[in-house]
Amino acid sequence: MMVGCIRQQGTDEQYEKFGKRAENFEITGAYAQTELGHGTFLRGLETRADFDRKTDEFVLNTPTITSYKWWPGGLGHAANYCVVVANLYIDNDPKGVAMFMVQLRDEKTHMPLPGIDVGDIGKKMGFAGVNNGYLGLKNVRIPRTNMLMRHAQVLPDGTYVKSPASVLAYFTMVFVRCLIVRNNSTMLSMASTIATRYSAVRRQSPINPKEPEPQIIDHVTQQMKLFPEIATSIAYRLSSTKLWQLYDQTAEDIKCGEFGRLPEMHALACSLKALCSRDSANGVERLRLACGGHGYLASAQLANLYSAATAACTYEGENTVLLLQVGRFLMKSCRMLMAGKPLVPTISYLQDAIKVNGLEKWTGSWQNILQALQIATAHKIRITFENLTARLKAGQTEAEAANNTGIEYTQAAELHGTCFVAATFLEEVTGPNAKNRSPALNKVLENLLELFLVNTAMKYMHEILRVANISDMELRALQTRLEDVLKALRPDAVAICDGFDFHDRNLKSTLGSYDGNVYERIFEEAKKSPLNKKPVPDVIYTHLQPFMKAKM
């Protein structure tokens, strides 16, 4: 993250000076943005950097306990440099958020430099190997040229050159949100692999009383726990690829001085980060429960996957806050549409969908399901906009009206993100790329798409029914399709997970190993426990026996 920030926010000279050293591990770095008292609301950061003309330096301070940097990975003890995100002041006049390269420790002794208060924040729910740290700054002076100045600059005389687009300061966070979508979709596919392989080994609860216990993957309720998560992980993986393509294009546009797609990129990264982190965290937990009691074992690895997946729900932008930002983007898009202005590609479906009163006819085809989702999303956006407008007309300020419409903002944002994921999955399976795959693989992908779209339609049926006339018989048909596609995927489920190509050393799971020797591996891991090194642990003699012999 630090290297990416220097590359995007720093000049070429600064990248040569700091970025390459970090890339080559000549220095160790961290990205210090979040504070003890401030997270997603960057404009509220209390860390300040005051420019001193006399010395051509910035003076950095964390004036309160809540302004201490808190949470940056690697900051506690590993990093000797970091990018500090602070509010810039010139003659006590705030200029907005800027980024500064700050040396924290001596490169030879690794001792903290004067004015630096740095350390580890302590134990967390997970990420035991990540040295999350705190950082306090007291009158720490750095050269003016240590401010990352690709977009905004402070000249030697104190003149401030404003960035051509203020949101460029947040582009590093957009990069990391793209990364989170990729990482969390991977975590969900890892958990799917573990739970699916285990379900093919575990036998329990005869379906017919006189028959042997079947593999639990043969129970349709177990299939409903496993297969939707496999499909969801693939859907987000494909969306991640498309998100990266848009990011790369936006980055190239920025180099050419074009900033028109930044709001679209920001909104899409926010929505996918929020949805993917939420769905992957919920999905990993559902898969852990699908493994019964053994899923609770640390050696199953599902607990570690869950702690990693759920952490992403709050870092790099808390999910509700991100959905609210997407909601504001949708309201702006609605205003643009009403003014007759063109919409950016990822929201262009709104141009047609918002004009219709409802879905013309429900057929249940894949394209029809997507269209129903888009019209339902447009309907939700329109209602949200109408309620926002009504509050404004009633005398509420823009901020008050937005706050009071916040629930609908997040609902509209969730639907918008879901439309993108569904459209991406549909395009991949039925579009030009299908010609490059074998018919057999296409059939498997079609089954996965069928499951994803039918399951998504049922999940958001309360929204779809507001814009579509769907009979009870048609709803029953969706349930039948769901059950049929689960059966169709059953023979391929383990092979699909094998296709994710996770090596045993990466899964590190007794339940999800490639050879399927679940019980042998569980027992072997139990034997390795330090508590089993002696037949009688010392604590029995030092504590339990004296306690039992004592007179109470």
Side-chain angles (χ1 to χ4, degrees):
M1 191 171 182
M2 173 186 169
V3 173
C5 178
I6 299 171
R7 183 183 287 113
Q8 290 289 340
Q9 305 292 339
T11 64
D12 293 342
E13 293 77 14
Q14 289 174 322
Y15 180 71
E16 288 292 324
K17 183 177 180 180
F18 299 112
K20 282 197 171 181
R21 291 195 72 202
E23 269 192 321
N24 294 332
F25 294 99
E26 295 170 22
I27 59 175
T28 49
Y31 178 84
Q33 177 175 290
T34 299
E35 297 175 354
L36 184 57
H38 289 86
T40 310
F41 181 54
L42 295 190
R43 284 179 291 137
L45 294 178
E46 296 178 86
T47 303
R48 56 185 293 158
D50 290 84
F51 182 59
D52 185 345
R53 285 186 184 82
K54 296 178 181 178
T55 61
D56 199 32
E57 293 175 319
F58 289 106
V59 184
L60 276 69
N61 280 282
T62 49
T64 64
I65 188 171
T66 52
S67 66
Y68 260 61
K69 295 300 180 184
W70 201 269
W71 281 112
L75 176 66
H77 295 293
N80 55 15
Y81 282 79
C82 75
V83 173
V84 172
V85 183
N87 268 304
L88 169 63
Y89 289 83
I90 299 176
D91 299 328
N92 213 33
D93 180 26
K95 300 297 183 182
V97 171
M99 300 174 187
F100 305 86
M101 282 298 305
V102 180
Q103 185 175 356
L104 306 176
R105 296 172 178 272
D106 185 277
E107 289 192 29
K108 292 182 179 179
T109 66
H110 210 64
M111 286 293 293
L113 297 178
I116 302 291
D117 183 15
V118 64
D120 187 272
I121 65 171
K123 290 183 178 180
K124 309 165 291 284
M125 179 175 168
F127 283 101
V130 178
N131 186 209
N132 296 94
Y134 64 79
L135 172 65
L137 303 163
K138 187 173 182 180
N139 295 326
V140 174
R141 289 180 170 269
I142 61 171
R144 178 182 56 83
T145 52
N146 276 30
M147 173 182 162
L148 301 184
M149 295 195 196
R150 179 175 292 274
H151 305 299
Q153 297 93 35
V154 174
L155 304 182
D157 64 356
T159 300
Y160 178 66
V161 181
K162 191 176 180 180
S163 169
S166 59
V167 291
L168 286 171
Y170 310 131
F171 201 54
T172 300
M173 293 187 71
V174 171
F175 166 80
V176 178
R177 287 166 189 161
C178 295
L179 195 62
I180 289 170
V181 180
R182 174 59 57 90
N183 288 350
N184 274 56
S185 66
T186 300
M187 285 184 238
L188 184 56
S189 60
M190 292 176 78
S192 297
T193 301
I194 292 168
T196 300
R197 286 177 174 174
Y198 174 71
S199 297
V201 173
R202 180 76 171 187
R203 293 179 177 272
Q204 194 163 302
S205 304
I207 296 173
N208 294 310
K210 295 183 180 180
E211 294 181 1
E213 288 183 308
Q215 298 159 287
I216 59 174
I217 199 173
D218 287 331
H219 291 279
V220 69
T221 50
Q222 185 74 356
Q223 293 169 9
M224 189 59 197
K225 295 174 185 177
L226 303 174
F227 301 168
E229 303 307 334
I230 296 173
T232 298
S233 72
I234 293 171
Y236 279 119
R237 175 72 178 212
L238 294 171
S239 297
S240 167
T241 299
K242 195 162 186 177
L243 183 64
W244 275 117
Q245 291 170 352
L246 180 57
Y247 175 87
D248 290 339
Q249 182 59 56
T250 305
E252 286 300 314
D253 290 347
I254 290 171
K255 290 180 181 178
C256 299
E258 297 289 337
F259 310 110
R261 298 201 73 173
L262 266 173
E264 178 188 23
M265 179 72 236
H266 178 256
L268 189 59
C270 285
S271 59
L272 288 185
K273 183 271 181 188
L275 296 186
C276 184
S277 59
R278 179 202 65 186
D279 290 346
S280 61
N282 291 341
V284 171
E285 176 64 359
R286 192 175 296 113
L287 291 162
R288 184 189 70 79
L289 293 171
C291 293
H294 292 329
Y296 196 68
L297 287 169
S299 66
Q301 191 64 12
L302 291 165
N304 283 338
L305 283 171
Y306 174 74
S307 68
T310 197
C313 293
T314 43
Y315 64 59
E316 299 313 316
E318 192 276 333
N319 281 356
T320 301
V321 176
L322 295 186
L323 291 175
L324 287 170
Q325 292 180 13
V326 178
R328 285 194 286 272
F329 168 78
L330 295 176
M331 294 302 99
K332 289 179 181 177
S333 298
C334 203
R335 287 192 177 102
M336 290 175 65
L337 184 61
M338 292 180 175
K341 297 179 180 179
L343 300 180
V344 295
T346 52
I347 193 71
S348 60
Y349 67 88
L350 194 62
Q351 287 177 303
D352 295 325
I354 206 167
K355 296 174 185 177
V356 299
N357 293 323
L359 185 68
E360 184 176 342
K361 184 181 179 181
W362 171 265
T363 66
S365 69
W366 296 337
Q367 189 62 48
N368 187 247
I369 291 174
L370 176 60
Q371 187 182 14
L373 284 168
Q374 290 175 336
I375 294 174
T377 302
H379 182 71
K380 172 62 74 174
I381 292 171
R382 181 171 59 234
I383 292 174
T384 305
F385 184 77
E386 289 171 355
N387 291 337
L388 174 69
T389 303
R391 289 185 169 106
L392 290 170
K393 288 181 179 178
Q396 295 183 19
T397 66
E398 186 80 32
E400 290 170 340
N403 177 60
N404 291 327
T405 319
I407 295 173
E408 292 175 292
Y409 271 36
T410 61
Q411 292 169 341
E414 179 180 341
L415 282 166
H416 171 62
T418 301
C419 284
F420 179 85
V421 176
T424 302
F425 203 168
L426 179 62
E427 170 64 20
E428 175 63 33
V429 173
T430 64
N433 288 343
K435 297 178 181 179
N436 301 321
R437 297 188 293 258
S438 69
L441 177 55
N442 278 330
K443 182 58 182 174
V444 173
L445 291 174
E446 287 166 7
N447 285 336
L448 289 163
L449 175 65
E450 164 80 352
L451 176 57
F452 180 80
L453 288 178
V454 170
N455 196 41
T456 300
M458 295 176 75
K459 178 180 178 181
Y460 292 105
M461 187 54 65
H462 62 292
E463 298 290 354
I464 292 174
L465 286 173
R466 300 174 78 168
V467 299
N469 291 319
I470 305 178
S471 67
D472 179 67
M473 185 176 295
E474 288 167 329
L475 288 173
R476 292 187 184 206
L478 271 181
Q479 179 68 27
T480 301
R481 285 172 64 180
L482 178 70
E483 294 163 1
D484 287 346
V485 76
L486 291 175
K487 292 176 184 176
L489 281 166
R490 163 64 182 94
D492 298 320
V494 173
I496 293 169
C497 291
D498 288 350
F500 291 141
D501 201 26
F502 296 119
H503 196 281
D504 283 351
R505 63 174 171 262
N506 298 119
L507 287 180
K508 294 178 286 189
S509 172
T510 53
L511 306 190
S513 58
Y514 184 76
D515 60 19
N517 295 328
V518 171
Y519 302 119
E520 294 84 351
R521 288 176 179 271
I522 289 176
F523 199 79
E524 181 184 1
E525 196 67 27
K527 284 287 191 179
K528 293 178 183 177
S529 171
L531 293 175
N532 293 325
K533 286 187 175 180
K534 296 180 180 180
V536 182
D538 294 340
V539 70
I540 302 298
Y541 302 122
T542 59
H543 288 76
L544 183 59
Q545 285 187 346
F547 172 76
M548 294 171 69
K549 293 176 181 178
K551 295 181 179 180
M552 303 298 289

